[in-house]
Amino acid sequence: MTRHRPPVHHPYPVGDDSSPATMARRLSAGLLDLVLVLVLGGGVLVLGLARASGALVLLGSASVLVVSVAQWVAHGRSGWTVGRRTVGIRTLDVETREPVGMLRVLLRTAVIAAGALAFGVGLVVVLASPVFDRTGRRRGWQDRAARDEVLDVRAVREQVVVPPRVRRAEPVQPRAGRQPVSVPGWAAAGPGAGGEGTDLLDLLFDEARPAALVLAPLAPQRSGPDLDTRATPVVRQVGLSYGLAPELEMTRPAGRRDDLVAAPVASAVVDRTVAEIELGDGQRVTIARTALVGRNPASDADVQLVRVVDPARSVSKNHLQIGVESGGVWVADRGSINGTVVTLPDGAQVVCRVDQQVRLRVGATVAFGDCSFRLIRAPGHAPVP
């Protein structure tokens, strides 16, 4: 029997892919665009200059201008040019994954043109600048100036959200010599079925509703965090693979000091319900339950919002989430652009995957973008200096 196919929704714009385009594809797209200009007008312009024909020069110049403007408009409004469309790459905003617009395309073109004025060597440096991007996203000087990113969208698949389904028995055609049987099937709930499932879909896909982040539970039922760094063994560094010789690079352990007497430490009252972090600028923030940290965090959930100052815009608007529980403190990346890295007090590092809870030790440092914070107090532990 014919099944009712559920409607297809597109919660994210097509092209929201996190794979940066390779240098070979970027250069191939540029060469294809240059060939297009030469074929559709550049050849006529060169021929007119060679023959000193004013008509051919005028015709070639007009053709080059029309092709260049068409490429500029297409690049700004859709992120495509003919060359980019051919090799499967697209220029999109680094955060929203939307086309950057004609003005920002003009800005990135001006950066490339400025490099060409430096005796031609600057053009090579600008075009090769994506190779030296330390973040691994291959963003060149022109991309940073226009706040864009060139992505490989050949394997982009449209994300599909399927509405809730209800089970029902579906008959199967019997074969010869066999009795009819029934197997469980699925049928999509109709528009009039009502219920909490359709109400939730209407809420999620209501385009007129103001955009805000609703924090979903990372792990509704769990006995512990995904990764507990407190259980990670401390590994001491025994050798160096770079720098000076080990006997010059490493510090020798000092001998025992019998002339020093430890001062008595006054008993401190330990708060077992809150945690405290110290941001990179020295500001200390107390977190009681859940906090959302970012450049401009926003959420419909009842969470604490911690805004960091980041003029370079390396921190995402909703970069990471901090959770405080009776057993300790954990951090989870919320799908940021530049990621989140936890550095333990002994120097070991853990890269946080998206929505993975990483338990923190007191004294651990969390780096996100160009910013960072240090956990100086956890529930049940005295604060570190």
Side-chain angles (χ1 to χ4, degrees), residues 75-96:
H75 198 181
R77 292 187 175 181
S78 63
W80 302 102
T81 62
V82 174
R84 277 170 161 73
R85 187 84 178 192
T86 303
V87 301
I89 63 176
R90 196 176 181 189
T91 305
L92 299 175
D93 186 271
V94 70
E95 292 184 359
T96 64

Side-chain angles (χ1 to χ4, degrees), residues 53-68:
S53 175
L56 291 178
V57 171
L58 182 60
L59 178 60
S61 301
S63 301
V64 171
L65 180 62
V66 170
V67 173
S68 301

Side-chain angles (χ1 to χ4, degrees), residues 174-178:
R175 297 182 179 179
R178 296 186 180 182

Side-chain angles (χ1 to χ4, degrees), residues 37-292:
V37 173
L38 293 177
V39 170
L40 297 182
V44 178
L45 178 59
V46 173
L47 182 61
L49 293 175
R51 295 186 177 182
S53 175
L56 291 178
V57 171
L58 182 60
L59 178 60
S61 301
S63 301
V64 171
L65 180 62
V66 170
V67 173
S68 301
V69 171
Q71 291 274 73
W72 173 36
V73 174
H75 198 181
R77 292 187 175 181
S78 63
W80 302 102
T81 62
V82 174
R84 277 170 161 73
R85 187 84 178 192
T86 303
V87 301
I89 63 176
R90 196 176 181 189
T91 305
L92 299 175
D93 186 271
V94 70
E95 292 184 359
T96 64
R97 293 297 194 267
E98 295 289 340
V100 297
M102 298 172 60
L103 291 180
R104 287 162 67 179
V105 170
L106 186 63
L107 176 59
R108 73 191 313 274
T109 305
V111 173
I112 298 176
L117 297 178
F119 304 102
V121 180
L123 177 61
V124 177
V125 174
V126 173
L127 295 180
S129 59
V131 179
F132 306 102
D133 186 5
R134 293 181 296 177
T135 64
R137 303 301 300 177
R138 301 192 187 99
R139 297 182 63 207
W141 296 346
Q142 67 274 28
D143 301 316
R144 295 181 180 275
R147 302 191 309 278
D148 62 50
E149 189 171 12
V150 182
L151 302 177
D152 188 342
V153 294
R154 291 173 297 161
V156 172
R157 297 181 179 179
E158 298 180 353
Q159 303 187 27
V160 179
V161 177
V162 182
R165 298 180 174 184
V166 295
R167 285 181 177 269
R168 72 177 182 184
E170 187 173 298
V172 176
Q173 296 296 334
R175 297 182 179 179
R178 296 186 180 182
Q179 296 295 329
V181 295
S182 297
V183 296
W186 295 96
E196 297 179 357
T198 56
D199 294 339
L200 178 59
L201 289 177
D202 294 338
L203 177 63
L204 291 176
F205 298 107
D206 184 9
E207 297 180 354
R209 183 169 173 268
L213 175 65
V214 179
L215 294 180
L218 299 180
Q221 297 180 358
R222 61 184 178 86
S223 58
D226 296 338
L227 179 61
D228 192 346
T229 60
R230 300 176 302 175
T232 304
V234 177
V235 180
R236 300 296 182 185
Q237 185 177 7
V238 296
L240 298 174
S241 59
Y242 62 92
L244 301 176
E247 59 272 11
L248 298 178
E249 189 76 12
M250 299 181 65
T251 303
R252 294 187 178 90
R256 182 177 178 179
R257 298 288 300 274
D258 297 331
D259 57 333
L260 300 178
V261 179
V265 180
S267 59
V269 178
V270 179
D271 193 340
R272 300 184 178 273
T273 60
V274 299
E276 187 175 3
I277 63 173
E278 182 180 24
L279 299 178
D281 58 1
Q283 178 185 0
R284 295 196 174 189
V285 180
T286 301
I287 301 174
R289 186 178 58 183
T290 302
L292 189 62

